[in-house]
Amino acid sequence: MKKFTLMLLTLLMIVSMLSAQELTGLQIIQNVYNRPTAEDQTADLTMSLINSRGNKRVREIKQYLKDFGDMEKKIMFFVAPADVYNTSFMNWSYDKDGKDDDQWIYLPALRRVKRISSDSKSDYFMGSDFTYDDLGDRQPNQDTHKLLREEEIDGETCYVVESIPKEEEYMYSKTITWVIKDKWIGKKKDFYDEGKDLLKTLSVDETKKINDIIIITLSKMENIQSKHKTIMKLENVKINVGVSDLKFTERMMKRGI
Amino acid sequence: MKNKIIIITMLLFTATIMLNAQISHRGFVRTYLGVLPNENGEYSVLQNTFNWQLEYGKNNVGLFVNPMFNYDGLDKNLNISLRQAYFDIYFNKFDLRIGKQQIIWGKADGVFITDVISPRDLSEFLLPEFEEIRIGINSVKLNYYKGNSTIEAVWIPTFQPTIMPDANSIWFPKMELPEIPNSFDYSDATVEQKLSESEGALKYSYLGSAIDFELMTAYMWDDNPAMHITPHFTPGNLQPDSLTIKPEYHRLPLVGASFSKSILGAVIRGESAYYFGKKFSAENFSINGIREKDYIHYLIGYDHNWFGVNVSLQLIQEYILDYEDDIRNNEFSNTATFLASKTFINETLELSLFSYFGIDDGDALLRPKLSYDLSDGFNVLFGANIFVGDDGNFGQYDNNDMIYTKIRYNF
């Protein structure tokens, strides 16, 4: 019996060591990055922008996404507020390192699709607290990752990973991400500004499993310094419904919703 | 005409109520007050505008109607116009749009090179929003799609010229005419409304990762009439005693191309057109003050975001080929535009400056603006139009500087 217990302990130690080896910060973030995603997706996105006085502005968007293997195409049609109704925005992002996104905007009043500069990932999306970079998939090799600890949030055990950008000019000095164990999905993320002060906190408040793929349906980004926050809600989510390649064209940008 | 538009508007309003579930309607209400910054603070603009857009769609057919009501508080006049009214038919590979519509071509901002389809309303120079400068034109537009390529064919059955300011308007452009008594003869200042006088245009466009580009050709009428001058002499005199000036429209065929491309996070744009046989004003009366020359109009533009500031620069040149010295225009005309804009407070506040620079005459138009969103769709704007110089396209309006405010509610 003693021999058996010793063997079991040794085995547990080996498993524990192996799993500890797997639990580097980089691997956790890679697991998040490689989490299965939909081949295509349609959804209604509502962003509520709330300032420090509690005043709320609402942006409503109909969006379509499609993975083309080495690139992802996204098209967004703005539904509200009224002054941006039927404005559309199209983004093509590429897996290839160093290749900038291609972006176009269609303003119905001007009746013209215009290619826009994509070197503004630090710009805030539609006045929200999310930058374009926050909304995209940041590649794991762009940061140095370190597993800090494990912590429980809302009953979920999370890995806490610190990520420091390799690029000196990046808008954040570091981020700290709480990743739910086994689900490989972020639960919370703190963003630190260039002065190393806490700037924003992202919390993931609701997820849904659709066709075995976990989709974040409710999240909140709060700017700690300005007290401004954005609540992002995804509704009517449909995945792998066979969105046509032709959805991501100039024709559809002009045709609108 | 006005009564008819009012009746049509009432019918549309009734139809909207009856078909409320299917017709969507949007638009804006705007108050616009402009003041000349002279010692009296004279009002130059006092307008209240209601822009109404009605849209209906069912299956593969769409309908769009856009009446606009503009009350001029200075003239005490209500102007009603039908800015656009068309229907769409959508097929699998092509779309058809028939009716009064705005058609915009090219990659230039605020400069019209291959963008020759929709005429312009220049009664207030280039100061209204660009969307309001363009006039809807009665036409049939067919778009054929294949992947990222589009072929667009436009047929315009009747010619509609650009609207110029009234002769007594502060925006009436300076005309270079000899200082000899003259009279105007407008008997040929129209284009007949018949099939043979219609206009046509064709465009191929491609939108892709590497580049976006357009190739176009058009068989149009020149929007600006040529001033044919007939001199009248007293026998024995070498100098004419008087002139008859006869404005006349002429055909102006053109071919053109434009592109835009991302390079290192910036966007480079270009656009050019070659116009065949434009009638230029000349000082030589023996040829009725007209010389026919080909000319080229082109632009190169650069858009970039520097530290959150959107910057856009355009350099534009017009070049008259086979130039002769008696032509009143310069052989080369050079213009530049500059735009810088930045938003603050989660995009509720925007500061911007758009400027035209006439490089040859050293003149300019500077248009600073400050815009603030009071709430969703409710915006207040303060701006100024500052003309610099004494001559040229912009300097000639040096006395027309204006400060203004606009309050706008979108619904």
Side-chain angles (χ1 to χ4, degrees):
Chain A
M1 185 63 191
K2 266 186 183 177
K3 201 174 177 182
F4 177 75
T5 309
L6 196 65
M7 276 175 69
L8 192 64
L9 278 172
T10 311
L11 195 65
L12 277 172
M13 275 177 69
I14 290 167
V15 168
S16 164
M17 280 169 72
L18 280 173
S19 67
Q21 273 181 347
E22 282 172 6
L23 296 178
T24 66
L26 175 63
Q27 283 166 322
I28 292 166
I29 296 299
Q30 266 172 341
N31 283 345
V32 175
Y33 185 77
N34 294 327
R35 184 166 50 84
T37 52
E39 284 179 20
D40 61 56
Q41 180 186 313
T42 71
D44 297 329
L45 171 66
T46 305
M47 286 198 306
S48 301
L49 283 52
I50 302 162
N51 70 10
S52 56
R53 295 190 302 275
N55 295 334
K56 186 160 102 172
R57 295 182 294 145
V58 178
R59 274 95 187 85
E60 290 171 30
I61 295 163
K62 177 96 188 158
Q63 68 175 25
Y64 299 81
L65 302 166
K66 186 161 184 170
D67 190 348
F68 287 78
D70 56 351
M71 69 190 293
E72 185 188 81
K73 293 183 181 180
K74 178 194 279 191
I75 192 163
M76 293 176 150
F77 300 99
F78 298 103
V79 180
D83 54 343
V84 294
Y85 181 83
N86 248 351
T87 295
S88 55
F89 170 78
M90 185 160 73
N91 186 87
W92 295 0
S93 60
Y94 305 91
D95 288 349
K96 191 178 167 189
D97 278 354
K99 182 160 172 56
D100 287 332
D101 292 2
D102 288 302
Q103 295 179 340
W104 297 268
I105 192 160
Y106 172 70
L107 301 168
L110 295 179
R111 306 225 160 214
R112 189 155 69 97
V113 172
K114 187 176 164 68
R115 182 183 280 265
I116 54 173
S117 161
S118 62
D119 193 29
S120 44
K121 289 190 176 277
S122 57
D123 274 6
Y124 286 91
F125 176 68
M126 286 191 80
S128 73
D129 295 283
F130 292 87
T131 64
Y132 283 90
D133 202 52
D134 298 339
L135 294 169
D137 283 335
R138 187 169 168 82
Q139 292 185 346
N141 61 10
Q142 290 180 278
D143 303 302
T144 305
H145 307 278
K146 185 179 164 191
L147 175 61
L148 298 179
R149 58 186 182 275
E150 289 183 18
E151 201 171 285
E152 196 166 289
I153 301 182
D154 297 338
E156 305 255 28
T157 308
C158 299
Y159 299 115
V160 185
V161 180
E162 179 189 74
S163 305
I164 295 174
K166 293 175 184 170
E167 177 194 342
E168 282 183 15
E169 302 291 311
Y170 192 57
M171 61 185 149
Y172 305 123
S173 56
K174 70 172 179 183
T175 58
I176 296 177
T177 312
W178 282 254
V179 177
I180 301 172
K181 254 184 167 179
D182 303 328
K183 287 185 179 170
W184 308 116
I185 193 157
K187 176 72 184 161
K188 182 184 165 190
K189 190 169 183 175
D190 284 344
F191 300 80
Y192 290 78
D193 65 15
E194 287 161 308
K196 298 186 177 173
D197 293 322
L198 180 60
L199 176 65
K200 302 188 297 188
T201 293
L202 170 71
S203 59
V204 173
D205 299 325
E206 183 187 89
T207 60
K208 277 187 183 156
K209 204 168 192 179
I210 304 169
N211 294 5
D212 285 334
I213 293 171
I214 300 172
I215 304 285
I216 297 169
T217 49
L218 184 65
S219 58
K220 181 173 76 181
M221 181 74 95
E222 185 161 12
N223 188 312
I224 308 299
Q225 296 176 9
S226 68
K227 310 284 182 209
H228 192 280
K229 65 186 168 194
T230 301
I231 296 167
M232 198 177 261
K233 190 173 186 181
L234 218 54
E235 292 172 295
N236 301 321
V237 184
K238 291 174 189 156
I239 64 171
N240 299 340
V241 287
V243 174
S244 165
D245 293 1
L246 297 175
K247 194 79 198 169
F248 308 92
T249 57
E250 183 179 6
R251 181 189 195 185
M252 289 302 154
M253 288 188 81
K254 286 183 172 175
R255 190 162 160 179
I257 300 159
Chain B
M1 182 64 187
K2 269 186 190 174
N3 287 341
K4 281 184 185 172
I5 294 174
I6 290 170
I7 291 166
I8 291 166
T9 307
M10 293 301 289
L11 284 172
L12 285 170
F13 187 71
T14 312
T16 308
I17 294 166
M18 287 167 68
L19 300 167
N20 197 31
Q22 289 142 326
I23 292 185
S24 68
H25 65 115
R26 292 178 307 284
F28 66 80
V29 177
R30 181 183 62 203
T31 293
Y32 174 19
L33 175 67
V35 180
L36 298 176
N38 54 25
E39 56 190 38
N40 298 322
E42 196 180 331
Y43 296 129
S44 56
V45 182
L46 177 54
Q47 287 176 2
N48 292 291
T49 305
F50 172 45
N51 185 45
W52 196 24
Q53 299 178 349
L54 299 148
E55 215 167 341
Y56 170 80
K58 195 172 183 185
N59 300 326
N60 290 328
V61 177
L63 178 72
F64 182 82
V65 183
N66 178 198
M68 188 160 165
F69 305 77
N70 204 346
Y71 179 72
D72 190 316
L74 299 178
D75 293 348
K76 310 275 189 270
N77 263 338
L78 176 66
N79 301 305
I80 304 168
S81 59
L82 196 58
R83 291 186 52 74
Q84 297 188 87
Y86 57 77
F87 59 87
D88 287 308
I89 310 170
Y90 303 113
F91 298 91
N92 186 27
K93 294 251 175 163
F94 61 94
D95 300 335
L96 192 62
R97 178 168 289 176
I98 301 167
K100 192 177 186 192
Q101 55 186 300
Q102 287 184 1
I103 299 173
I104 317 298
W105 286 6
K107 306 288 182 196
D109 289 335
V111 183
F112 305 86
I113 298 176
T114 62
D115 187 14
V116 292
I117 311 298
S118 285
R120 290 162 282 159
D121 180 352
L122 298 180
S123 52
E124 290 175 55
F125 191 51
L126 292 168
L127 302 184
E129 308 291 329
F130 284 120
E131 64 206 69
E132 290 175 39
I133 284 180
R134 290 192 179 89
I135 307 168
I137 186 146
N138 289 309
S139 54
V140 178
K141 180 165 72 85
L142 177 77
N143 284 75
Y144 172 77
Y145 305 97
K146 188 161 177 61
N148 293 323
S149 297
T150 306
I151 294 172
E152 184 167 309
V154 179
W155 175 57
I156 303 162
T158 54
F159 170 62
Q160 186 180 346
T162 284
I163 298 172
M164 297 302 290
D166 290 338
N168 56 357
S169 161
I170 59 171
W171 302 111
F172 190 72
K174 197 186 282 179
M175 292 180 75
E176 288 190 27
L177 292 171
E179 289 180 1
I180 298 171
N182 59 60
S183 60
F184 278 79
D185 171 4
Y186 290 99
S187 59
D188 282 336
T190 53
V191 173
E192 285 189 71
Q193 299 192 353
K194 56 186 183 184
L195 187 62
S196 59
E197 310 293 20
S198 60
E199 297 176 304
L202 189 67
K203 181 181 77 166
Y204 168 81
S205 62
Y206 173 83
L207 182 145
S209 175
I211 193 168
D212 307 339
F213 69 89
E214 296 180 1
L215 303 171
M216 61 80 70
T217 185
Y219 186 61
M220 309 295 288
W221 289 92
D222 191 343
D223 264 352
N224 300 305
M227 300 294 169
H228 293 255
I229 299 175
T230 306
H232 303 288
F233 295 91
T234 302
N237 279 358
L238 291 174
Q239 286 296 317
D241 301 321
S242 65
L243 304 172
T244 301
I245 301 167
K246 201 172 182 184
E248 204 176 320
Y249 289 102
H250 294 279
R251 285 288 187 179
L252 186 59
L254 70 148
V255 292
S258 62
F259 77 92
S260 64
K261 179 171 176 54
S262 299
I263 297 176
L264 300 172
V267 173
I268 306 289
R269 292 179 285 119
E271 184 168 339
S272 68
Y274 188 101
Y275 299 79
F276 297 91
K278 182 177 167 68
K279 308 287 189 295
F280 287 96
S281 286
E283 288 166 2
N284 188 342
F285 295 141
S286 68
I287 49 165
N288 292 115
I290 296 289
R291 284 211 183 271
E292 185 178 316
K293 298 289 175 190
D294 293 355
Y295 91 106
I296 300 172
H297 192 181
Y298 67 96
L299 160 151
I300 188 85
Y302 177 79
D303 308 328
H304 196 23
N305 184 290
W306 271 302
F307 308 106
V309 180
N310 283 313
V311 175
S312 176
L313 179 69
Q314 298 182 125
L315 299 172
I316 307 118
Q317 187 171 70
E318 290 170 81
Y319 168 47
I320 302 171
L321 282 85
D322 189 22
Y323 187 76
E324 292 179 61
D325 290 338
D326 61 358
I327 295 175
R328 292 185 190 279
N329 294 60
N330 293 334
E331 183 177 10
F332 291 95
S333 303
N334 300 290
T335 313
T337 71
F338 173 77
L339 168 71
S341 67
K342 183 171 172 60
T343 58
F344 303 88
I345 324 174
N346 295 83
E347 290 187 10
T348 50
L349 179 71
E350 181 178 13
L351 276 175
S352 71
L353 172 67
F354 181 71
S355 314
Y356 287 100
F357 297 97
I359 295 168
D360 306 316
D361 293 302
D363 60 335
L365 165 59
L366 311 176
R367 306 196 68 192
K369 283 182 194 171
L370 185 153
S371 158
Y372 181 68
D373 287 341
L374 295 163
S375 66
D376 278 341
F378 192 22
N379 175 273
V380 59
L381 184 150
F382 298 97
N385 304 316
I386 304 160
F387 291 91
V388 179
D390 302 316
D391 219 338
N393 287 334
F394 312 105
Q396 64 178 307
Y397 302 118
D398 192 28
N399 293 326
N400 295 0
D401 290 351
M402 183 174 92
I403 52 173
Y404 63 90
T405 180
K406 291 179 183 178
I407 302 171
R408 175 168 160 154
Y409 182 74
N410 284 76
F411 59 90

